[in-house]
Protein backbone atom coordinates (compact mmCIF):
# COMPACT_ATOMS: atom_id res chain seq x y z
CA UNK A 1 0.00 0.00 0.00
CA UNK A 2 1.30 3.42 -0.84
CA UNK A 3 -1.26 5.43 1.15
CA UNK A 4 0.91 8.36 1.98
CA UNK A 5 -0.96 10.66 4.35
CA UNK A 6 -0.22 8.62 7.42
CA UNK A 7 1.74 5.57 8.60
CA UNK A 8 -0.59 3.58 10.81
CA UNK A 9 0.99 1.89 13.78
CA UNK A 10 -1.10 0.05 16.33
CA UNK A 11 -1.47 3.07 18.55
CA UNK A 12 -2.79 5.16 15.66
CA UNK A 13 -5.27 2.49 14.61
CA UNK A 14 -6.84 2.55 18.07
CA UNK A 15 -6.68 6.30 18.60
CA UNK A 16 -9.98 7.85 19.75
CA UNK A 17 -11.94 9.26 16.81
CA UNK A 18 -12.05 12.69 18.44
CA UNK A 19 -8.25 12.87 18.44
CA UNK A 20 -7.90 13.01 14.66
CA UNK A 21 -7.23 16.57 13.54
CA UNK A 22 -9.66 18.41 11.26
CA UNK A 23 -6.67 19.08 9.00
CA UNK A 24 -5.92 15.42 8.54
CA UNK A 25 -9.59 14.64 7.88
CA UNK A 26 -9.76 17.41 5.26
CA UNK A 27 -6.64 16.07 3.53
CA UNK A 28 -8.04 12.54 3.59
CA UNK A 29 -11.31 13.72 2.04
CA UNK A 30 -9.46 15.68 -0.66
CA UNK A 31 -7.41 12.59 -1.52
CA UNK A 32 -10.51 10.37 -1.65
CA UNK A 33 -12.21 12.85 -3.99
CA UNK A 34 -9.53 12.17 -6.62
CA UNK A 35 -10.34 8.48 -7.00
CA UNK A 36 -11.03 7.40 -10.60
CA UNK A 37 -12.87 4.28 -9.36
CA UNK A 38 -15.96 5.60 -7.54
CA UNK A 39 -18.98 3.34 -7.98
CA UNK A 40 -22.43 4.57 -8.95
CA UNK A 41 -24.86 2.23 -7.23
CA UNK A 42 -22.76 0.27 -4.76
CA UNK A 43 -22.32 1.32 -1.16
CA UNK A 44 -18.76 2.34 -0.35
CA UNK A 45 -17.15 4.59 2.25
CA UNK A 46 -16.23 8.19 1.53
CA UNK A 47 -12.92 7.68 3.37
CA UNK A 48 -11.46 4.82 5.38
CA UNK A 49 -12.26 1.13 5.37
CA UNK A 50 -15.56 -0.71 4.99
CA UNK A 51 -15.78 -4.40 5.80
CA UNK A 52 -18.62 -6.71 6.93
CA UNK A 53 -22.31 -5.85 6.45
CA UNK A 54 -23.96 -5.75 9.89
CA UNK A 55 -27.43 -5.35 11.40
CA UNK A 56 -29.37 -5.84 8.16
CA UNK A 57 -33.04 -5.52 9.17
CA UNK A 58 -36.45 -3.96 8.56
CA UNK A 59 -37.58 -1.59 11.30
CA UNK A 60 -39.90 1.39 11.57
CA UNK A 61 -40.93 1.21 7.92
CA UNK A 62 -37.39 1.15 6.53
CA UNK A 63 -34.58 -1.21 5.69
CA UNK A 64 -31.57 -0.74 7.95
CA UNK A 65 -28.07 -1.78 7.03
CA UNK A 66 -24.80 -1.09 8.80
CA UNK A 67 -21.23 -1.87 7.90
CA UNK A 68 -18.01 -2.36 9.81
CA UNK A 69 -16.22 0.94 9.48
CA UNK A 70 -12.90 2.56 10.24
CA UNK A 71 -13.06 6.19 8.98
CA UNK A 72 -9.45 7.40 9.12
CA UNK A 73 -7.58 5.34 6.53
CA UNK A 74 -7.67 2.17 4.41
CA UNK A 75 -6.66 -0.04 7.34
CA UNK A 76 -8.40 -2.19 9.94
CA UNK A 77 -8.48 0.08 12.99
CA UNK A 78 -10.97 0.88 15.74
CA UNK A 79 -14.22 -0.37 14.22
CA UNK A 80 -17.70 1.19 14.38
CA UNK A 81 -20.99 0.37 12.71
CA UNK A 82 -21.86 2.87 9.98
CA UNK A 83 -25.65 3.18 9.59
CA UNK A 84 -27.70 3.43 6.37
CA UNK A 85 -31.47 3.31 5.76
CA UNK A 86 -33.50 2.69 2.62
CA UNK A 87 -37.08 2.34 1.51
CA UNK A 88 -36.25 0.19 -1.54
CA UNK A 89 -32.96 -1.68 -0.88
CA UNK A 90 -31.35 0.37 -3.69
CA UNK A 91 -31.21 4.02 -2.60
CA UNK A 92 -29.47 4.26 0.77
CA UNK A 93 -29.36 7.29 3.01
CA UNK A 94 -26.26 7.56 5.19
CA UNK A 95 -27.00 8.23 8.84
CA UNK A 96 -23.35 8.14 9.91
CA UNK A 97 -21.81 6.27 12.82
CA UNK A 98 -24.62 4.22 14.37
CA UNK A 99 -22.66 2.28 16.97
CA UNK A 100 -19.26 3.34 18.19
CA UNK A 101 -16.58 1.67 20.27
CA UNK A 102 -16.73 4.14 23.12
CA UNK A 103 -17.47 2.04 26.17
CA UNK A 104 -15.76 -0.46 28.48
CA UNK A 105 -17.77 -3.29 26.82
CA UNK A 106 -16.42 -2.51 23.32
CA UNK A 107 -13.28 -0.40 23.90
CA UNK A 108 -11.28 -1.86 20.98
CA UNK A 109 -13.98 -2.22 18.38
CA UNK A 110 -17.71 -2.67 17.84
CA UNK A 111 -17.31 -5.86 15.82
CA UNK A 112 -19.82 -7.64 13.61
CA UNK A 113 -23.35 -8.67 14.50
CA UNK A 114 -27.00 -8.60 13.59
CA UNK A 115 -30.23 -6.75 14.41
CA UNK A 116 -33.88 -7.56 14.95
CA UNK A 117 -36.89 -5.26 15.15
CA UNK A 118 -38.38 -5.71 18.62
CA UNK A 119 -41.49 -3.57 19.15
CA UNK A 120 -40.45 0.05 19.33
CA UNK A 121 -36.74 -0.60 19.06
CA UNK A 122 -34.19 -2.15 16.77
CA UNK A 123 -32.11 -4.48 18.93
CA UNK A 124 -28.48 -4.97 17.90
CA UNK A 125 -26.33 -7.93 18.91
CA UNK A 126 -22.62 -7.44 18.35
CA UNK A 127 -19.17 -8.40 19.58
CA UNK A 128 -17.44 -5.90 21.80
CA UNK A 129 -13.76 -6.33 21.14
CA UNK A 130 -11.98 -5.46 24.38
CA UNK A 131 -8.26 -5.66 25.08
CA UNK A 132 -6.63 -5.53 28.48
CA UNK A 133 -3.33 -3.87 29.40
CA UNK A 134 -1.40 -6.88 28.02
CA UNK A 135 -3.29 -6.57 24.73
CA UNK A 136 -5.11 -9.83 25.50
CA UNK A 137 -8.41 -9.96 23.65
CA UNK A 138 -11.62 -10.32 25.65
CA UNK A 139 -14.57 -10.93 23.29
CA UNK A 140 -17.90 -9.81 24.78
CA UNK A 141 -21.25 -10.36 23.09
CA UNK A 142 -23.30 -7.23 23.69
CA UNK A 143 -26.75 -5.84 22.98
CA UNK A 144 -27.97 -2.27 22.58
CA UNK A 145 -31.05 -0.72 20.99
CA UNK A 146 -31.83 2.00 18.48
CA UNK A 147 -35.09 3.91 18.78
CA UNK A 148 -37.48 5.16 16.11
CA UNK A 149 -35.48 8.39 15.70
CA UNK A 150 -32.45 6.23 14.97
CA UNK A 151 -30.81 7.18 18.27
CA UNK A 152 -28.64 4.60 19.99
CA UNK A 153 -29.52 3.98 23.63
CA UNK A 154 -26.74 4.63 26.15
CA UNK A 155 -27.43 1.25 27.72
CA UNK A 156 -24.95 -1.17 26.17
CA UNK A 157 -25.18 -4.48 27.94
CA UNK A 158 -22.96 -7.56 27.83
CA UNK A 159 -25.20 -10.59 27.38
CA UNK A 160 -22.51 -13.26 26.92
CA UNK A 161 -19.10 -13.12 28.60
CA UNK A 162 -16.10 -15.01 27.16
CA UNK A 163 -16.89 -18.71 26.88
CA UNK A 164 -14.65 -21.16 28.73
CA UNK A 165 -14.81 -23.63 25.83
CA UNK A 166 -13.58 -21.09 23.27
CA UNK A 167 -10.37 -19.14 22.69
CA UNK A 168 -10.52 -15.40 22.15
CA UNK A 169 -11.83 -16.16 18.63
CA UNK A 170 -15.48 -15.89 19.66
CA UNK A 171 -17.51 -13.34 17.73
CA UNK A 172 -20.18 -12.28 15.23
CA UNK A 173 -23.50 -13.19 16.95
CA UNK A 174 -26.31 -13.85 14.47
CA UNK A 175 -29.89 -13.75 15.74
CA UNK A 176 -32.54 -16.11 14.37
CA UNK A 177 -35.81 -17.62 15.53
CA UNK A 178 -37.46 -20.94 14.99
CA UNK A 179 -40.81 -21.99 16.47
CA UNK A 180 -40.86 -19.00 18.82
CA UNK A 181 -37.43 -19.80 20.22
CA UNK A 182 -34.79 -17.09 19.86
CA UNK A 183 -31.24 -18.24 19.15
CA UNK A 184 -27.86 -16.66 18.71
CA UNK A 185 -25.25 -18.50 16.67
CA UNK A 186 -21.69 -17.30 17.32
CA UNK A 187 -18.49 -18.11 15.42
CA UNK A 188 -15.66 -19.51 17.45
CA UNK A 189 -12.56 -21.56 17.97
CA UNK A 190 -12.46 -24.47 20.43
CA UNK A 191 -9.84 -24.25 23.18
CA UNK A 192 -9.35 -28.03 23.17
CA UNK A 193 -8.06 -28.43 19.59
CA UNK A 194 -7.94 -24.87 18.20
CA UNK A 195 -10.45 -25.84 15.48
CA UNK A 196 -13.42 -23.79 14.31
CA UNK A 197 -16.94 -24.38 15.54
CA UNK A 198 -20.25 -22.62 16.11
CA UNK A 199 -21.80 -21.95 19.50
CA UNK A 200 -25.54 -21.75 20.10
CA UNK A 201 -27.25 -19.69 22.77
CA UNK A 202 -30.96 -19.49 23.63
CA UNK A 203 -32.82 -16.47 24.94
CA UNK A 204 -34.06 -16.94 28.49
CA UNK A 205 -35.93 -13.65 28.75
CA UNK A 206 -38.69 -12.19 26.59
CA UNK A 207 -36.82 -8.92 26.15
CA UNK A 208 -33.81 -10.73 24.59
CA UNK A 209 -31.35 -9.45 27.18
CA UNK A 210 -30.77 -12.78 28.98
CA UNK A 211 -29.09 -15.63 27.16
CA UNK A 212 -27.91 -19.11 28.15
CA UNK A 213 -25.31 -21.31 26.50
CA UNK A 214 -27.11 -24.13 24.70
CA UNK A 215 -24.61 -26.25 22.77
CA UNK A 216 -21.85 -26.45 20.25
CA UNK A 217 -22.96 -26.83 16.66
CA UNK A 218 -20.03 -28.59 15.01
CA UNK A 219 -19.73 -28.53 11.21
CA UNK A 220 -17.83 -31.74 10.30
CA UNK A 221 -17.68 -30.68 6.63
CA UNK A 222 -15.40 -27.79 7.68
CA UNK A 223 -13.58 -29.20 10.70
CA UNK A 224 -10.11 -28.39 9.34
CA UNK A 225 -10.78 -24.65 9.69
CA UNK A 226 -9.47 -22.72 12.70
CA UNK A 227 -12.23 -20.10 12.88
CA UNK A 228 -15.73 -19.57 11.47
CA UNK A 229 -16.36 -15.87 11.00
CA UNK A 230 -19.78 -14.35 10.35
CA UNK A 231 -22.12 -17.37 10.61
CA UNK A 232 -25.76 -17.19 9.52
CA UNK A 233 -28.59 -19.69 9.90
CA UNK A 234 -31.60 -18.96 7.69
CA UNK A 235 -34.74 -20.78 6.68
CA UNK A 236 -35.07 -20.81 2.90
CA UNK A 237 -37.86 -22.61 1.03
CA UNK A 238 -38.28 -25.30 3.74
CA UNK A 239 -34.54 -25.90 3.96
CA UNK A 240 -31.91 -24.59 6.32
CA UNK A 241 -29.12 -22.51 4.83
CA UNK A 242 -25.95 -22.25 6.92
CA UNK A 243 -23.35 -19.75 5.69
CA UNK A 244 -20.03 -18.83 7.28
CA UNK A 245 -16.40 -18.00 6.53
CA UNK A 246 -14.25 -21.03 7.41
CA UNK A 247 -10.79 -19.53 7.85
CA UNK A 248 -7.90 -21.90 7.25
CA UNK A 249 -10.06 -24.74 5.86
CA UNK A 250 -8.06 -27.35 3.93
CA UNK A 251 -8.40 -27.48 0.12
CA UNK A 252 -9.62 -31.09 0.47
CA UNK A 253 -12.72 -29.85 2.29
CA UNK A 254 -13.27 -26.80 0.09
CA UNK A 255 -11.46 -25.76 -3.05
CA UNK A 256 -10.89 -21.99 -2.97
CA UNK A 257 -8.26 -19.47 -3.96
CA UNK A 258 -9.18 -16.34 -2.00
CA UNK A 259 -7.27 -15.72 1.22
CA UNK A 260 -10.41 -16.87 3.11
CA UNK A 261 -13.59 -18.37 1.66
CA UNK A 262 -17.28 -17.70 2.30
CA UNK A 263 -19.09 -21.05 2.18
CA UNK A 264 -22.51 -22.62 2.69
CA UNK A 265 -24.28 -25.89 3.23
CA UNK A 266 -27.93 -26.81 2.98
CA UNK A 267 -29.57 -28.96 5.68
CA UNK A 268 -33.06 -30.42 5.89
CA UNK A 269 -33.84 -29.29 9.42
CA UNK A 270 -32.60 -27.34 12.41
CA UNK A 271 -34.04 -29.35 15.29
CA UNK A 272 -35.56 -27.93 18.48
CA UNK A 273 -32.52 -29.18 20.38
CA UNK A 274 -30.12 -27.33 18.09
CA UNK A 275 -28.93 -29.93 15.60
CA UNK A 276 -28.69 -29.86 11.84
CA UNK A 277 -30.29 -32.86 10.19
CA UNK A 278 -29.53 -33.93 6.65
CA UNK A 279 -26.65 -31.51 6.21
CA UNK A 280 -25.19 -31.61 2.70
CA UNK A 281 -21.77 -30.80 1.37
CA UNK A 282 -19.86 -27.57 1.76
CA UNK A 283 -19.88 -25.26 -1.29
CA UNK A 284 -18.42 -21.85 -2.12
CA UNK A 285 -21.08 -19.19 -1.72
CA UNK A 286 -19.35 -17.03 -4.32
CA UNK A 287 -16.75 -18.02 -6.92
CA UNK A 288 -15.35 -14.54 -7.53
CA UNK A 289 -12.24 -12.79 -6.19
CA UNK A 290 -13.85 -10.58 -3.55
CA UNK A 291 -16.87 -11.70 -1.53
CA UNK A 292 -16.86 -12.28 2.21
CA UNK A 293 -18.87 -12.04 5.41
CA UNK A 294 -22.24 -12.29 3.63
CA UNK A 295 -25.08 -11.44 6.02
CA UNK A 296 -28.50 -12.98 5.35
CA UNK A 297 -31.88 -12.29 6.90
CA UNK A 298 -35.27 -13.93 6.89
CA UNK A 299 -36.97 -10.67 6.07
CA UNK A 300 -40.50 -9.86 7.31
CA UNK A 301 -41.73 -9.75 3.69
CA UNK A 302 -41.00 -13.49 3.40
CA UNK A 303 -37.86 -13.18 1.30
CA UNK A 304 -34.40 -14.28 2.33
CA UNK A 305 -32.09 -11.36 1.56
CA UNK A 306 -28.35 -11.04 1.80
CA UNK A 307 -25.48 -8.60 1.31
CA UNK A 308 -21.78 -9.40 0.93
CA UNK A 309 -18.65 -7.42 1.63
CA UNK A 310 -16.95 -7.03 -1.77
CA UNK A 311 -13.55 -7.30 -0.18
CA UNK A 312 -11.39 -9.64 1.85
CA UNK A 313 -9.41 -9.39 5.06
CA UNK A 314 -5.68 -8.69 4.79
CA UNK A 315 -5.77 -7.63 1.11
CA UNK A 316 -4.52 -4.27 -0.20
CA UNK A 317 -6.78 -2.67 -2.82
CA UNK A 318 -5.87 -0.03 -5.43
CA UNK A 319 -8.23 2.48 -3.78
CA UNK A 320 -5.97 2.39 -0.69
CA UNK A 321 -3.89 5.02 -2.48
CA UNK A 322 -6.93 7.31 -2.26
CA UNK A 323 -7.50 6.66 1.42
CA UNK A 324 -10.48 4.29 1.22
CA UNK A 325 -11.28 0.61 0.71
CA UNK A 326 -14.26 -1.73 0.40
CA UNK A 327 -17.77 -1.87 -1.03
CA UNK A 328 -20.95 -3.81 -0.40
CA UNK A 329 -22.65 -6.03 -2.97
CA UNK A 330 -26.12 -5.45 -4.31
CA UNK A 331 -28.83 -6.85 -2.05
CA UNK A 332 -29.51 -10.40 -3.25
CA UNK A 333 -32.49 -12.71 -2.82
CA UNK A 334 -31.76 -16.33 -1.87
CA UNK A 335 -33.89 -19.31 -2.93
CA UNK A 336 -33.46 -23.07 -2.66
CA UNK A 337 -35.26 -25.15 -5.26
CA UNK A 338 -34.50 -28.84 -5.85
CA UNK A 339 -31.73 -28.49 -3.29
CA UNK A 340 -30.03 -25.86 -5.47
CA UNK A 341 -29.23 -22.45 -3.97
CA UNK A 342 -29.73 -19.41 -6.17
CA UNK A 343 -28.74 -15.83 -5.31
CA UNK A 344 -29.87 -12.96 -7.47
CA UNK A 345 -30.14 -9.16 -7.09
CA UNK A 346 -33.53 -8.26 -5.60
CA UNK A 347 -36.28 -7.36 -8.06
CA UNK A 348 -36.01 -3.72 -6.89
CA UNK A 349 -32.70 -3.57 -8.79
CA UNK A 350 -34.68 -3.42 -12.05
CA UNK A 351 -35.49 0.24 -11.31
CA UNK A 352 -31.86 1.12 -12.06
CA UNK A 353 -32.25 0.08 -15.68
CA UNK A 354 -32.13 2.74 -18.38
CA UNK A 355 -33.03 2.18 -21.99
CA UNK A 356 -32.30 -1.31 -23.32
CA UNK A 357 -29.82 -1.63 -26.18
CA UNK A 358 -28.82 -4.71 -28.10
CA UNK A 359 -25.61 -5.50 -29.96
CA UNK A 360 -23.88 -8.31 -31.83
CA UNK A 361 -20.23 -8.21 -30.90
CA UNK A 362 -19.18 -4.82 -29.56
CA UNK A 363 -20.63 -2.02 -27.48
CA UNK A 364 -19.08 1.09 -26.01
CA UNK A 365 -21.27 2.89 -23.48
CA UNK A 366 -18.53 5.33 -22.49
CA UNK A 367 -18.92 4.22 -18.85
CA UNK A 368 -18.99 1.02 -16.84
CA UNK A 369 -22.26 1.07 -14.92
CA UNK A 370 -24.53 -1.33 -16.68
CA UNK A 371 -26.34 -4.64 -16.64
CA UNK A 372 -25.39 -6.98 -19.46
CA UNK A 373 -27.37 -10.15 -20.22
CA UNK A 374 -26.55 -12.83 -22.78
CA UNK A 375 -26.78 -16.54 -23.42
CA UNK A 376 -24.33 -19.10 -24.76
CA UNK A 377 -25.76 -22.13 -26.54
CA UNK A 378 -24.80 -25.66 -25.60
CA UNK A 379 -21.48 -26.95 -26.97
CA UNK A 380 -20.12 -23.49 -27.82
CA UNK A 381 -17.22 -21.36 -26.73
CA UNK A 382 -17.60 -17.67 -25.94
CA UNK A 383 -15.18 -14.95 -24.94
CA UNK A 384 -16.35 -11.69 -23.42
CA UNK A 385 -13.95 -8.81 -22.82
CA UNK A 386 -15.36 -6.39 -20.22
CA UNK A 387 -13.90 -3.02 -19.28
CA UNK A 388 -11.86 -3.38 -22.50
CA UNK A 389 -9.84 -0.57 -24.03
CA UNK A 390 -10.16 0.18 -27.75
CA UNK A 391 -7.46 -2.27 -28.91
CA UNK A 392 -8.58 -4.90 -26.36
CA UNK A 393 -5.11 -5.09 -24.85
CA UNK A 394 -6.64 -4.34 -21.45
CA UNK A 395 -9.81 -6.03 -20.22
CA UNK A 396 -11.36 -8.46 -17.77
CA UNK A 397 -12.00 -11.60 -19.76
CA UNK A 398 -14.78 -14.11 -19.25
CA UNK A 399 -14.27 -17.38 -21.16
CA UNK A 400 -17.14 -19.83 -21.35
CA UNK A 401 -17.01 -23.33 -22.77
CA UNK A 402 -20.44 -24.96 -22.66
CA UNK A 403 -19.18 -28.20 -24.19
CA UNK A 404 -16.83 -29.01 -21.33
CA UNK A 405 -18.69 -26.85 -18.81
CA UNK A 406 -16.06 -24.33 -17.77
CA UNK A 407 -16.31 -20.64 -17.02
CA UNK A 408 -13.18 -18.62 -16.26
CA UNK A 409 -12.88 -15.00 -15.17
CA UNK A 410 -9.41 -13.52 -15.76
CA UNK A 411 -8.57 -10.10 -14.34
CA UNK A 412 -4.83 -10.23 -15.05
CA UNK A 413 -5.09 -7.95 -18.12
CA UNK A 414 -6.97 -5.08 -16.47
CA UNK A 415 -3.92 -2.82 -16.39
CA UNK A 416 -4.29 -2.29 -12.64
CA UNK A 417 -3.68 -5.54 -10.79
CA UNK A 418 -3.66 -6.45 -7.09
CA UNK A 419 -3.78 -9.51 -4.80
CA UNK A 420 -2.04 -11.45 -7.58
CA UNK A 421 -0.44 -13.78 -5.00
CA UNK A 422 -3.86 -15.45 -4.79
CA UNK A 423 -4.10 -16.05 -8.54
CA UNK A 424 -5.53 -13.95 -11.36
CA UNK A 425 -8.31 -16.26 -12.55
CA UNK A 426 -11.41 -17.76 -10.93
CA UNK A 427 -13.26 -20.72 -12.36
CA UNK A 428 -16.69 -22.34 -12.11
CA UNK A 429 -17.55 -25.89 -13.23
CA UNK A 430 -20.83 -25.84 -15.17
CA UNK A 431 -22.87 -28.82 -16.32
CA UNK A 432 -21.26 -29.86 -19.64
CA UNK A 433 -23.26 -29.68 -22.88
CA UNK A 434 -25.88 -27.27 -21.51
CA UNK A 435 -26.58 -23.66 -22.49
CA UNK A 436 -25.98 -20.86 -19.94
CA UNK A 437 -27.51 -17.49 -19.29
CA UNK A 438 -25.35 -14.77 -17.79
CA UNK A 439 -26.33 -11.49 -16.12
CA UNK A 440 -23.53 -9.12 -15.27
CA UNK A 441 -23.98 -6.12 -13.00
CA UNK A 442 -21.00 -3.86 -13.59
CA UNK A 443 -20.14 -0.69 -11.72
CA UNK A 444 -17.00 1.42 -12.13
CA UNK A 445 -14.87 -0.99 -10.08
CA UNK A 446 -17.27 -3.87 -9.37
CA UNK A 447 -18.34 -6.94 -11.35
CA UNK A 448 -21.16 -9.11 -10.02
CA UNK A 449 -21.71 -12.02 -12.40
CA UNK A 450 -24.75 -14.30 -12.05
CA UNK A 451 -24.82 -17.57 -14.00
CA UNK A 452 -28.15 -19.29 -14.75
CA UNK A 453 -30.15 -16.82 -12.65
CA UNK A 454 -27.81 -17.08 -9.71
CA UNK A 455 -26.96 -20.79 -9.53
CA UNK A 456 -23.35 -19.55 -9.47
CA UNK A 457 -22.12 -16.09 -8.56
CA UNK A 458 -18.74 -14.45 -9.12
CA UNK A 459 -18.29 -11.13 -7.32
CA UNK A 460 -15.10 -9.19 -7.85
CA UNK A 461 -13.45 -5.82 -7.67
CA UNK A 462 -11.69 -4.73 -10.86
CA UNK A 463 -9.80 -1.53 -11.54
CA UNK A 464 -9.22 0.03 -14.94
CA UNK A 465 -6.01 1.81 -15.85
CA UNK A 466 -7.09 3.76 -18.96
CA UNK A 467 -10.11 5.95 -19.52
CA UNK A 468 -10.99 4.13 -22.77
CA UNK A 469 -11.66 0.88 -20.88
CA UNK A 470 -15.41 1.11 -21.48
CA UNK A 471 -15.87 -1.45 -24.28
CA UNK A 472 -17.61 -4.79 -24.24
CA UNK A 473 -16.32 -7.11 -26.96
CA UNK A 474 -18.07 -10.47 -27.20
CA UNK A 475 -17.78 -13.53 -29.40
CA UNK A 476 -19.90 -16.67 -29.19
CA UNK A 477 -22.69 -15.01 -27.21
CA UNK A 478 -26.35 -14.63 -28.21
CA UNK A 479 -29.11 -12.15 -27.31
CA UNK A 480 -26.69 -9.47 -26.05
CA UNK A 481 -28.79 -6.99 -24.11
CA UNK A 482 -27.48 -4.05 -22.16
CA UNK A 483 -29.02 -1.48 -19.83
CA UNK A 484 -27.16 1.48 -18.39
CA UNK A 485 -27.72 1.44 -14.61
CA UNK A 486 -28.15 4.75 -12.86
CA UNK A 487 -29.58 5.81 -9.52
C1 LIG B 1 -14.77 -10.54 9.42
C2 LIG B 1 -14.38 -9.93 10.75
C3 LIG B 1 -15.34 -10.39 11.83
C4 LIG B 1 -15.17 -9.30 12.87
C5 LIG B 1 -15.02 -8.07 11.99
C6 LIG B 1 -14.11 -7.01 12.56
O1 LIG B 1 -14.31 -9.78 8.34
O2 LIG B 1 -13.05 -10.28 11.09
O3 LIG B 1 -15.09 -11.69 12.33
O4 LIG B 1 -16.28 -9.19 13.72
O5 LIG B 1 -14.50 -8.52 10.76
O6 LIG B 1 -14.10 -5.90 11.73
Amino acid sequence: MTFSLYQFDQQARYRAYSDWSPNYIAELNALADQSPWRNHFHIEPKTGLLNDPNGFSYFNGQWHLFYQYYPFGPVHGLKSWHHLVSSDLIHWEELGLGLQADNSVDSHGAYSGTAIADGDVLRLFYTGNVRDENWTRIPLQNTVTIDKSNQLSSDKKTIIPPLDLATDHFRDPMYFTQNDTSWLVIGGQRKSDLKATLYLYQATSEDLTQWAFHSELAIPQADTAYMFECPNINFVDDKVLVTFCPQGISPEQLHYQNIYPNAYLIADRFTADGHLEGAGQLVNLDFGFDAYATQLINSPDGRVLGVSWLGLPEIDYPTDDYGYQGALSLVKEYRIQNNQLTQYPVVETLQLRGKEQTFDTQMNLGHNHFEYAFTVDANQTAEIALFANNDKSKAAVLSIDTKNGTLILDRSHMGTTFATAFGTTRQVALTPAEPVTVNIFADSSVLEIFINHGAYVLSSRIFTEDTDQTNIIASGTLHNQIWPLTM
Side-chain angles (χ1 to χ4, degrees):
M1 184 180 73
T2 57
F3 177 68
S4 53
L5 288 183
Y6 200 86
Q7 294 307 310
F8 282 89
D9 57 13
Q10 190 180 78
Q11 202 194 348
R13 285 173 199 241
Y14 288 90
R15 177 180 297 159
Y17 286 11
S18 53
D19 289 349
W20 287 93
S21 74
N23 246 349
Y24 173 78
I25 293 167
E27 272 185 69
L28 182 62
N29 273 281
L31 180 66
D33 280 344
Q34 292 165 35
S35 168
W37 295 307
R38 279 289 168 195
N39 288 302
H40 291 255
F41 56 92
H42 282 85
I43 293 168
E44 56 186 6
K46 176 77 204 301
T47 62
L49 186 142
L50 166 159
N51 57 304
D52 313 351
N54 290 159
F56 188 21
S57 51
Y58 189 78
F59 167 63
N60 194 26
Q62 282 182 308
W63 299 100
H64 292 251
L65 180 59
F66 303 77
Y67 58 76
Q68 282 284 286
Y69 187 38
Y70 177 67
F72 301 103
V75 297
H76 291 268
L78 183 63
K79 294 287 172 72
S80 298
W81 286 30
H82 187 83
H83 190 180
L84 305 121
V85 289
S86 172
S87 58
D88 62 5
L89 297 167
I90 304 292
H91 299 89
W92 293 93
E93 182 194 342
E94 305 221 13
L95 299 184
L97 295 172
L99 169 61
Q100 288 193 57
D102 54 8
N103 186 289
S104 59
V105 302
D106 56 19
S107 57
H108 291 70
Y111 277 12
S112 285
T114 49
I116 183 72
D118 185 12
D120 283 345
V121 294
L122 183 68
R123 179 168 292 285
L124 317 184
F125 298 100
Y126 72 103
T127 302
N129 187 45
V130 172
R131 291 196 181 261
D132 69 10
E133 55 290 349
N134 304 317
W135 206 248
T136 301
R137 197 209 312 253
I138 304 163
L140 304 176
Q141 316 308 321
N142 299 329
T143 189
V144 67
T145 57
I146 282 183
D147 67 18
K148 288 189 165 175
S149 350
N150 293 316
Q151 293 307 307
L152 190 81
S153 130
S154 58
D155 189 22
K156 290 178 177 170
K157 185 173 177 334
T158 297
I159 48 171
I160 300 172
L163 177 67
D164 271 349
L165 296 169
T167 69
D168 64 345
H169 285 303
F170 180 51
R171 57 180 175 272
D172 308 339
M174 186 268 177
Y175 174 90
F176 67 97
T177 52
Q178 197 191 31
N179 300 332
D180 293 331
T181 303
S182 288
W183 298 87
L184 287 175
V185 56
I186 304 174
Q189 180 185 57
R190 249 183 251 123
K191 240 181 219 165
S192 57
D193 61 1
L194 302 184
K195 293 298 180 199
T197 194
L198 299 174
Y199 294 107
L200 290 170
Y201 284 73
Q202 259 185 11
T204 54
S205 73
E206 283 274 310
D207 69 357
L208 304 178
T209 63
Q210 311 280 331
W211 292 82
F213 177 77
H214 183 275
S215 53
E216 185 184 325
L217 180 66
I219 306 284
Q221 295 88 330
D223 61 7
T224 57
Y226 63 79
M227 170 62 185
F228 294 153
E229 293 192 311
C230 302
N232 293 260
I233 294 180
N234 295 88
F235 301 95
V236 187
D237 293 313
D238 295 329
K239 295 280 182 180
V240 183
L241 178 66
V242 184
T243 65
F244 51 98
C245 300
Q247 293 185 303
I249 190 170
S250 76
E252 286 76 38
Q253 286 194 312
L254 185 75
H255 178 74
Y256 66 100
Q257 283 176 277
N258 294 347
I259 184 168
Y260 305 120
N262 197 170
Y264 76 91
L265 59 82
I266 296 171
D268 291 330
R269 266 174 308 283
F270 178 77
T271 62
D273 62 350
H275 288 97
L276 290 172
E277 280 181 3
Q281 70 188 60
L282 196 70
V283 187
N284 281 304
L285 187 60
D286 193 298
F287 290 86
F289 292 92
D290 304 277
Y292 198 72
T294 305
Q295 181 163 94
L296 296 104
I297 56 164
N298 274 88
S299 118
D301 66 13
R303 293 184 290 183
V304 178
L305 304 176
V307 185
S308 309
W309 169 25
L310 298 180
L312 292 171
E314 295 159 45
I315 298 293
D316 294 335
Y317 284 84
T319 56
D320 293 359
D321 291 347
Y322 295 95
Y324 74 100
Q325 184 190 123
L328 295 182
S329 71
L330 290 167
V331 178
K332 295 165 278 192
E333 181 176 358
Y334 293 71
R335 301 290 314 261
I336 297 175
Q337 283 153 330
N338 304 323
N339 237 23
Q340 161 81 63
L341 177 72
T342 58
Q343 332 170 40
Y344 202 76
V346 288
V347 62
E348 288 89 335
T349 312
L350 286 173
Q351 66 185 278
L352 294 175
R353 281 183 178 179
K355 193 171 171 329
E356 179 188 325
Q357 300 174 55
T358 57
F359 67 96
D360 287 333
T361 58
Q362 185 152 1
M363 167 65 84
N364 190 348
L365 287 174
H367 61 73
N368 283 318
H369 35 105
F370 57 81
E371 179 184 347
Y372 170 29
F374 61 86
T375 58
V376 181
D377 270 354
N379 301 311
Q380 297 294 323
T381 55
E383 192 188 87
I384 302 99
L386 301 154
F387 292 62
N389 62 353
N390 295 334
D391 68 13
K392 214 178 139 184
S393 59
K394 290 179 186 167
V397 181
L398 191 61
S399 307
I400 302 175
D401 175 342
T402 53
K403 181 162 182 278
N404 298 305
T406 54
L407 180 145
I408 299 169
L409 174 64
D410 180 348
R411 67 175 179 186
S412 65
H413 304 293
M414 276 298 291
T416 305
T417 55
F418 65 104
T420 51
F422 298 92
T424 55
T425 61
R426 292 293 183 268
Q427 185 157 346
V428 179
L430 308 167
T431 311
E434 284 191 3
V436 292
T437 65
V438 179
N439 289 74
I440 297 176
F441 294 79
D443 209 340
S444 299
S445 53
V446 169
L447 263 188
E448 293 184 77
I449 302 177
F450 297 85
I451 313 298
N452 293 342
H453 303 288
Y456 304 98
V457 183
L458 297 94
S459 305
S460 305
R461 300 301 308 273
I462 53 168
F463 298 91
T464 53
E465 189 169 64
D466 300 337
T467 49
D468 68 344
Q469 281 181 262
T470 54
N471 293 280
I472 301 172
I473 304 164
S475 64
T477 63
L478 294 173
H479 312 299
N480 296 293
Q481 288 170 291
I482 196 146
W483 298 265
L485 299 181
T486 43
M487 293 287 270

